[in-house]
Every structure is written in C-alpha cells, then in structure tokens.
C-alpha cells in the first residue's frame, strides 16, 4: 500500500486540473484497450474489464492510509495514469478506488487516464509530465 501511495504521489497528487474530452477503444492482442480519460463505471460495468471487480474482492484499505487521505486528501486532485492492458494497473487500480472510497475522496477529485503500450494518451499529457 505504501508503494501504491508513493506512486500516486509521484505521478498524480498535486493540484492538477486537466481535461481530456474522451477515450478511444482499441484492441491489444484481442483484448479491449482504452486510451484517454476513463470513468470508473466503465471499468466496473464492461465485461471486458472483469479484472476490475475481481481485484476489489477481499481487499480492505489500510487504516493508516485512509486516515491520512481523510486528513489531507480533501484539497488534492489525483491524476492516475495506467494501462487497461497492464497487469500492475489491473491489480492496483481497483484497490486504489476502494481506498479513495474509504477515505471519502470524491470522484470529482480523481481522474484515470488510460495509456497505450507506448504510454501515450489521446494528447500529450504523459509526455508533458515526462512519463513517456
């Protein structure tokens, strides 16, 4: 959990206001791959992303992390970059959303930007942040 929080701090915590109009759907070896700003409900409800709900099962957020986010997260905007094709994203993103829920961090404070295997989004955000 500490590593996840550190990654989020490095790439996303801060005062970022970023708008991207949409996402695109592609395929990656026959699997659906998203690119762009993706809403949580799409990941929860699209059967192509069954890993989302499966990887939330049995997870309980760390109480220290929840307390910290409750105390400090109210004024932060979380920008998370990941790939729907990526095993790490599939394992950690569903748990991250549960952590945010437990801490009372609202959906308007959290944005998930899906990238392709080259770490490109629909525009140059990853490049602008020197992540790609």
């Amino acid at each position: 959990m500490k590593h996840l929080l550190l990654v989020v701090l490095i790439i996303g915590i801060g005062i970022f206001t970023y708008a991207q109009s949409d996402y695109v759907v592609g395929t990656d070896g026959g699997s659906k791959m998203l690119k762009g700003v993706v809403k949580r409900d799409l990941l929860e409800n699209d059967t192509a992303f069954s890993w989302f709900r499966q990887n939330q099962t049995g997870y309980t957020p760390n109480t220290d992390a929840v307390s910290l986010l409750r105390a400090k997260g109210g004024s932060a905007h979380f920008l998370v970059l990941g790939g729907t094709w990526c095993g790490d994203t599939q394992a950690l993103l569903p748990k991250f959303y549960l952590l945010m829920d437990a801490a009372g961090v609202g959906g308007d404070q959290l944005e998930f930007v899906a990238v392709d295997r080259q770490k490109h989004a629909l525009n140059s955000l990853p490049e602008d942040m020197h992540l790609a």
Side-chain angles (χ1 to χ4, degrees):
M1 181 54 63
K2 290 180 184 177
H3 292 105
L4 174 62
L5 202 48
L6 179 60
V7 168
V8 171
L9 286 170
I10 291 171
I11 66 170
I13 293 180
I15 304 174
F16 285 103
T17 306
Y18 179 75
Q20 190 170 351
S21 62
D22 212 352
Y23 65 90
V24 296
V25 179
T27 58
D28 182 47
S31 299
K32 188 184 273 189
M33 178 178 65
L34 300 177
K35 184 174 163 181
V37 175
V38 177
K39 300 292 183 197
R40 177 182 184 169
D41 65 330
L42 175 63
L43 296 172
E44 288 177 327
N45 297 315
D46 190 324
T47 57
F49 307 112
S50 60
W51 51 263
F52 191 87
R53 287 190 186 268
Q54 289 170 356
N55 289 335
Q56 287 184 326
T57 303
Y59 173 72
T60 303
N62 177 282
T63 55
D64 291 335
V66 170
S67 296
L68 176 66
L69 284 167
R70 278 192 184 139
K72 305 285 185 183
S75 62
H77 184 91
F78 298 84
L79 178 64
V80 180
L81 286 87
T84 56
W85 49 267
C86 174
D88 289 339
T89 298
Q90 291 177 7
L92 297 174
L93 184 64
K95 293 170 178 69
F96 180 73
Y97 273 106
L98 288 179
L99 172 63
M100 295 294 115
D101 292 346
V105 175
D108 59 329
Q109 293 175 256
L110 175 59
E111 192 163 38
F112 172 56
V113 179
V115 298
D116 61 19
R117 287 190 178 271
Q118 291 73 42
K119 299 181 180 62
H120 297 144
L122 288 181
N123 61 27
S124 62
L125 176 67
E127 294 87 354
D128 293 346
M129 295 178 70
H130 305 287
L131 299 173

